[in-house]
Amino acid sequence: MAEQEAVSVQSSEGEIAIEASDLTKVYPPSSKAVDHVTFSVFRGEIFGLLGPNGAGKTTTIKMITTMTRPTSGELTVFGMDVRSNAERVRSLLGYVPQSVSVDTDISAYENLLIFSKLFFVGRKDRKARIKEALEYMGLEERANDLVKHYSGGMMRRLEIAQTLVNRPKILFLDEPSIGLDPNSRRDVWRSVLQLRKQYNTTIFITTHDMSEADALCDRLAIMDQGRIAAMGTPEDLKKSVGGDLLTLVVPTDSDIPGIPPEIGSLSYREGNTMEIVSENGDAAVPKLVALLSKQGITIESVSVRKPGLDDAFMKYTKKKLAEDLVATDARAARRSFTRHAG
Amino acid sequence: MNVWKFFSSSLTVAEMEARRVRHDPTELFTRAIQPALWLLIFGEVFTSIRAVNTGPYTYLQFITPGVLAQSVLFIAIFYGITVVWERDVGLLTKLLSTPSPASAIVLGKSLAAGVRGAFQALMIFILAVLIGVNLRLAPLDVLGVFLVVVLNAMCFSSLSMLLAAILKTRDRMMGIGQAITMPLFFGSNAIYPTSLMPTWLQGIAAFNPLSYIVNALRALLLSGDYSQLPVDLVITLAYTAVFLAAASIMIRRLLE
């Protein structure tokens, strides 16, 4: 993939935390959830996989966290092969799945106690680690409440606290802010950034949310249909769109002329709306207006904006990352959470 | 992975269940309703009409161990649904993402079913004493009953987890649970001696682990004759070990 090489940034400094090469997962009979994916994540970095539901993001996390075995390809965590060192690899990780992963029928303290035992935290360290994790995520005051009385944002913070008792080297967050209100979302982001700052924790997130990817990630990979379409820093990905974006709306029955290269190139068209990529948007507007009026085409509106990650996403996948591509069941589950009576 | 760490993980998973029960014990009482009906209605009626020849024991005495085994079977056989539910939210994924091995988690889950089974045994002891069923209540026998009940729960809950790993959805688990509990129950010696069954059914009952569990419970609660107890326990243990091993290998399939 030439495009991928064009935008990938080689931050050569630092130790490699995760290295995947030609990583593939095939679910029988032949659905390729992850298709020859190659990437490296450096220690202390916040790395994101950005893509719609079904792109293969969660499957990638599951392979790294040894929840499911790769069909082929290489995958190492701090130099250890995940297949032959599954338990050692897991002892270095923390994983916060997309849906509710705390036991809502017991208290927050009890959740952390159980998980500190399952992470083999020594008896004498347990209390201090639990206290620290609760304070860190701002939950110490309600530590003895049953988790079912928590709000969605508090549950999310508890889920992160649950992994912190292990002092993970790498933290995996699968759609960290899905279903959260804007305030809780910012709280979660703040904690994530602080974790990296304070402990130099490597953080691997998946998200379908452009603003989340932009706010958190040092580098990200745009993933679609099991493949990485592009990889780089959010800035580089936005720049790689190639300039400013002009959105032009004309009456439905107009004949649209070709766009000359000195204005820009047509990137997208739907009905009477067109998007043109131009090196210098502000200078291109008068040229475009002149061109169209010469041909007798009226303009309903024209606007210029700087490209965002969604534009980069569209450039590499030829798709819009629309809300309807994203499953809503997880957030529904988080909002109306009740335990099955079984 | 050393042995101590392995069992400590299993006990931790069981501890999680015990803590759930402590926070909300309602289910312990609602679960006791069905066996109470078996004893109070079915047991009393069949005792008075003397329809089944149960040797030296009254019919009510005879079915008390059977009803205990059956009620624990009912709890355990639907335990896989809880595991599927924990998969549907993210809890199972999180448990399996700890360094504790999957087999330790599965063993822990079966012990957790054992915790619920033990409470069930306690309820039935209380009930039996209240309605005046004559049982052997020597401390060692009572302790033995609790151990057999925990084994009973482990056996069928690990079978249930194995089925859950294959079937993967709650609806299918409800269906299979309904479909196998009745044959297991009626194809055992829980409410009538196997000698009253047609020969073909006796052949099937000989493979039914529930029959061996009921035998062990009858030896402890009624006869005090322990000569067959080792055989009953070894066979039940063997079934449990096979189900646990298979469920441990298969459990990650639930995440796919």
Side-chain angles (χ1 to χ4, degrees), chain A residues 25 27 62 66-68 87 90-91 95 97 99-103 105-107 110 113-115 117-120 146 159 162-163 337-342, chain B residues 1 5 8-9 12-13 15-16 19-20 22-23 27 31 81-82 85-86 88-91 93-102 105 170 252 255-256:
Chain A
K25 177 71 186 184
Y27 286 118
K62 281 184 177 167
T66 81
M67 297 290 98
T68 188
E87 275 160 25
R90 288 204 301 275
S91 72
Y95 177 20
S99 39
V100 182
S101 63
V102 279
D103 190 331
D105 290 342
I106 59 179
S107 73
E110 287 173 312
L113 179 69
I114 297 286
F115 275 82
K117 289 181 181 182
L118 292 175
F119 278 118
F120 304 123
L146 292 186
E159 283 160 8
Q162 230 176 12
T163 66
F337 191 78
T338 47
R339 188 177 162 78
H340 167 66
Chain B
M1 180 60 43
K5 276 186 167 179
S8 116
S9 294
T12 302
V13 174
E15 178 191 338
M16 199 166 166
R19 286 176 183 276
R20 279 179 194 160
R22 199 184 63 186
H23 285 297
E27 206 183 313
R31 290 272 195 197
I81 296 179
T82 312
W85 180 85
E86 289 184 356
D88 290 344
V89 296
L91 193 53
T93 314
K94 201 153 202 173
L95 287 171
L96 291 173
S97 76
T98 66
S100 300
I105 305 287
R170 275 182 265 176
R252 281 194 202 282
L255 303 184
E256 290 186 349

Side-chain angles (χ1 to χ4, degrees), chain B residues 46-47 49-60 62-63 189 191-197 218:
Chain B
F46 274 64
T47 301
I49 61 173
R50 296 172 202 280
V52 183
N53 178 8
T54 50
Y57 308 110
T58 66
Y59 185 70
L60 198 54
F62 180 83
I63 67 161
N189 57 359
I191 50 171
Y192 32 71
T194 38
S195 57
L196 297 181
M197 292 178 182
R218 285 213 174 103

